[in-house]
Structures are given as structure tokens and as C-alpha cells.
Amino acid sequence: MFRTFAVLAATTLVLGSTVAVAGAQPTPSPCDYVLTPPSVVNVSGTDVVTATVSPGACDGAVAYQTVACIQMQGASGPGQCAQNTGILPAQVFFQPYRPGTTYTSTGRGCASKGNPPQRFCQESGPITVTL
């Protein structure tokens, strides 16, 4: 009887802990990142769609990676992404540009903070625009 109670108590404790962990909020990134909406730019005589992810203010952290992506609505495939390291913005150039089409930009920025350093990544977007 005592053994059954101990197993039941341990199971309840573990399940109770799991519920508490499952309800926990993710740790916010110590850096802010800015995602731009898709826009059209001319590169060497060709119109392309672009978006950027730039690191903003950091609270004692070091930004080490930015990633910017664009996807065209209705297109098969994952779209196009570009990444950069350190505090440099990531800028993606998407082709083909089709007037009147909807494009979506998304991004991610990563920073490290602490001793030992811990990785923090923040997703940005989506931002959807018809160009």
C-alpha cells in the first residue's frame, strides 16, 4: 500500500512539474530586431523585391546573426533567404518581381548573453504586402 502511494505521489509530482513547464513563457530575446516589409528596388536594371532584418538595441547581449526571408504568395517552394553575421543587417533580394503579386517577409535575429553565453533567437513577421 505504501509503495503504491509513493509511486502515485511521485507521478503526480512529475506531472505537476510538466504542467508548470509547459505553461512557461519563452525567455524574451535581449536584443530587438527590425524587419522591413517587402519593397521593390532596382538592382542593375532589374526590379527585385527586398526586405531586411537589422539588429536594434541590445540589453547586455551581442547580436551574432540576422536572417531575412521573402516568399511570393502562390509560389511553390520556401522562398528566398539571406543571412549575415554580427551586427550587420541581412538583406534578401527576391526574383522574379511580378507587379500586383503579394509578398511576405519574415526574419530572425540571434544574440548571445551571459556567462556561459546562452543563445537567444527572436522571430519577426510575417509582414505581407501586395506590390
Side-chain angles (χ1 to χ4, degrees):
M1 173 72 179
F2 180 75
R3 187 178 299 166
T4 302
F5 176 76
V7 170
L8 180 59
T11 303
T12 303
L13 181 61
V14 170
L15 290 177
S17 299
T18 303
V19 172
V21 171
Q25 296 296 319
T27 304
S29 175
C31 291
D32 295 325
Y33 296 92
V34 179
L35 170 66
T36 62
S39 63
V40 179
V41 296
N42 189 284
V43 177
S44 301
T46 302
D47 286 337
V48 298
V49 180
T50 188
T52 61
V53 172
S54 302
C58 289
D59 179 22
V62 177
Y64 68 85
Q65 182 184 53
T66 52
V67 179
C69 300
I70 293 180
Q71 186 169 20
M72 183 171 66
Q73 184 178 16
S76 61
Q80 294 175 359
C81 295
Q83 71 177 18
N84 216 333
T85 57
I87 60 171
L88 299 173
Q91 184 171 16
V92 60
F93 296 97
F94 182 92
Q95 288 182 284
Y97 164 61
R98 295 192 176 121
T101 301
T102 301
Y103 297 87
T104 300
S105 63
T106 56
R108 183 179 72 244
C110 296
S112 63
K113 181 179 180 178
N115 187 12
Q118 294 182 19
R119 177 182 169 174
F120 298 89
C121 292
Q122 176 181 317
E123 302 294 324
S124 300
I127 301 175
T128 301
V129 178
T130 300
L131 301 172

